[in-house]
């Protein structure tokens, strides 16, 4: 019985992830309209897992080829997606520069802080400019999050 319930939840999570991933990535107004199409049960699934939550509600700043900045809904890519599914409490890894590692971890921290509450999350960088950039991404995420 318990196995069947887990399978059903896993299947429902997969459906919700596909629906979340289909949300508009660039058009914020269309994104807000699309969010209204989620059922109460689908929203419960989103709120039950920080991995799904950050895909649904976290935004980052992306530079376009012409050098302009625009908000884009966060979506794990490449190594981020692989690492997201294999994390543990004891992970140690060398941080590469400009791969999205800091942004990925910051989005995880933001999602957990929003979902769990009563937490303090601290992120710092070795350079003041990097810290400011990360703070701007976090401010954008919080401002664009209709649930925050």
């Amino acid at each position: 019985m318990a196995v069947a319930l887990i399978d059903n939840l896993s299947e429902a999570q997969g459906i919700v992830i596909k629906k979340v991933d289909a949300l508009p990535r660039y058009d914020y107004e269309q994104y807000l309209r699309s969010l209204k199409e989620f059922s109460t049960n689908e929203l419960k699934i989103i709120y039950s897992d920080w991995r799904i939550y950050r895909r649904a509600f976290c935004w980052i700043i992306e530079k376009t080829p012409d050098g302009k900045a625009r908000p884009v809904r966060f979506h794990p890519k490449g190594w981020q997606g692989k690492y997201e599914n294999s994390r543990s409490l004891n992970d140690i890894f060398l941080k590469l520069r400009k791969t999205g590692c800091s942004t990925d971890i910051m989005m995880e921290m933001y999602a957990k802080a929003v979902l769990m509450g009563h937490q303090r999350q601290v992120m710092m960088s070795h350079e003041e400019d990097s810290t400011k950039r990360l703070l701007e991404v976090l401010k954008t995420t919080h401002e664009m999050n209709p649930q925050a």
Side-chain angles (χ1 to χ4, degrees):
M1 181 71 167
V3 173
L5 290 174
I6 290 170
D7 287 343
N8 289 339
L9 177 61
S10 178
E11 183 179 328
Q13 284 177 320
I15 292 167
V16 170
I17 288 173
K18 286 179 184 173
K19 193 170 176 180
V20 164
D21 287 348
L23 286 168
R25 291 198 64 203
Y26 303 104
D27 185 340
Y28 187 66
E29 297 303 319
Q30 179 64 35
Y31 161 80
L32 290 176
R33 286 192 294 274
S34 298
L35 272 181
K36 293 178 182 174
E37 296 172 12
F38 282 82
S39 70
T40 304
N41 286 336
E42 289 170 331
L43 288 173
K44 285 179 184 176
I45 291 172
I46 290 171
Y47 284 112
S48 71
D49 188 333
W50 63 267
R51 293 170 186 89
I52 304 172
Y53 180 90
R54 72 181 183 160
R55 286 177 153 176
F57 297 119
C58 293
W59 290 72
I60 60 172
I61 304 296
E62 179 181 87
K63 288 200 177 176
T64 59
D66 59 358
K68 295 181 181 175
R70 68 174 172 183
V72 178
R73 196 170 49 79
F74 176 79
H75 188 281
K77 56 187 176 193
W79 74 269
Q80 294 170 330
K82 291 175 188 169
Y83 182 58
E84 174 183 80
N85 295 321
S86 62
R87 283 199 172 148
S88 75
L89 295 175
N90 300 317
D91 291 344
I92 298 174
F93 58 97
L94 297 175
K95 184 193 168 303
L96 302 173
R97 298 203 29 82
K98 303 294 181 190
T99 60
C101 181
S102 297
T103 303
D104 181 65
I105 292 169
M106 186 175 59
M107 291 298 119
E108 174 188 346
M109 292 165 62
Y110 176 80
K112 286 181 176 179
V114 170
L115 292 174
M116 296 177 206
H118 306 293
Q119 291 191 22
R120 286 190 182 171
Q121 303 283 357
V122 176
M123 183 136 191
M124 62 182 93
S125 173
H126 66 292
E127 296 175 340
E128 186 177 348
D129 288 344
S130 296
T131 304
K132 287 179 181 178
R133 279 194 302 272
L134 289 170
L135 184 58
E136 281 303 311
V137 171
L138 186 60
K139 284 180 183 177
T140 300
T141 288
H142 190 67
E143 289 168 2
M144 297 186 77
N145 184 348
Q147 305 300 317

